[in-house]
Amino acid sequence: MDDIQTATDRERAARFTAFYARDHPRVSAFVHRRVGDRGTAEELTAEVFRIAWERTLGGEEVSTGWLFVTARNLLSNHHRATARLTELHRRITDELDRAPASGEDSAVLKTLEPDAVRTLRWHSGVRPSLCRSDPSADRLQPLPE
């Protein structure tokens, strides 16, 4: 957050802090009831208030109703993204006749050195000759056909 220089900025920050303290629990509960996962609810709620803060810095007023509409829109985006990811996993499973890697698997792979990833891919049935290392991404990419 930038340094708050003027009295107007300090007043705006104080109003937003009071607004946040008053409405955060209700927005968080609203989001949590709809996603069922505390971590996802916290992320989405934080995004609601990040957007609200940006609007406040721009001089726009933000109301409690606006927070709930924004939360609803972010929930819609989240549900659409989840549906797309689920469909993608289903298609991968159908085409490869095996389950796709989980999010945890992907997180572990991101921490590995490229040589270790190549070794794992080789043991998973991807021939090294069919892949090249992409140094900028530190992961294997299929060779163009």
Side-chain angles (χ1 to χ4, degrees):
M1 182 169 92
D2 297 330
D3 290 333
I4 299 174
Q5 301 286 331
T6 66
T8 304
D9 290 340
R10 282 192 295 275
E11 290 169 7
R12 186 180 296 145
R15 280 194 316 270
F16 185 81
T17 301
F19 180 68
Y20 178 89
R22 183 188 72 221
D23 289 327
H24 181 271
R26 292 189 308 160
V27 173
S28 182
F30 172 82
V31 173
H32 184 256
R33 277 191 307 271
R34 282 150 182 83
V35 294
D37 174 61
R38 179 66 58 195
T40 303
E42 289 173 3
E43 288 178 21
L44 291 170
T45 302
E47 183 67 7
V48 168
F49 282 95
R50 183 196 61 79
I51 295 168
W53 175 245
E54 286 181 0
R55 287 179 60 105
T56 300
L57 288 177
E60 298 178 51
E61 288 296 319
V62 177
S63 67
T64 301
W66 180 91
L67 289 175
F68 283 96
V69 169
T70 302
R72 186 193 66 213
N73 292 341
L74 289 174
L75 283 162
S76 295
N77 292 346
H78 170 75
H79 291 306
R80 280 192 299 270
T82 301
R84 283 192 303 268
L85 187 59
T86 301
E87 175 60 18
L88 178 62
H89 282 183
R90 187 198 60 74
R91 288 176 44 204
I92 290 170
T93 301
D94 290 349
E95 291 193 22
L96 297 179
D97 290 330
R98 68 172 195 218
S102 71
E104 290 175 1
D105 295 338
S106 297
V108 170
L109 287 174
K110 287 179 184 177
T111 65
L112 297 176
E113 295 293 324
D115 288 338
V117 174
R118 273 191 289 280
T119 302
L120 287 171
R121 295 272 171 100
W122 184 81
H123 286 290
S124 296
V126 177
R127 291 182 295 160
S129 62
L130 296 178
C131 295
R132 65 173 163 77
S133 179
D134 179 356
S136 65
D138 286 338
R139 58 185 154 169
L140 296 176
Q141 301 293 323
L143 285 172
E145 294 183 6

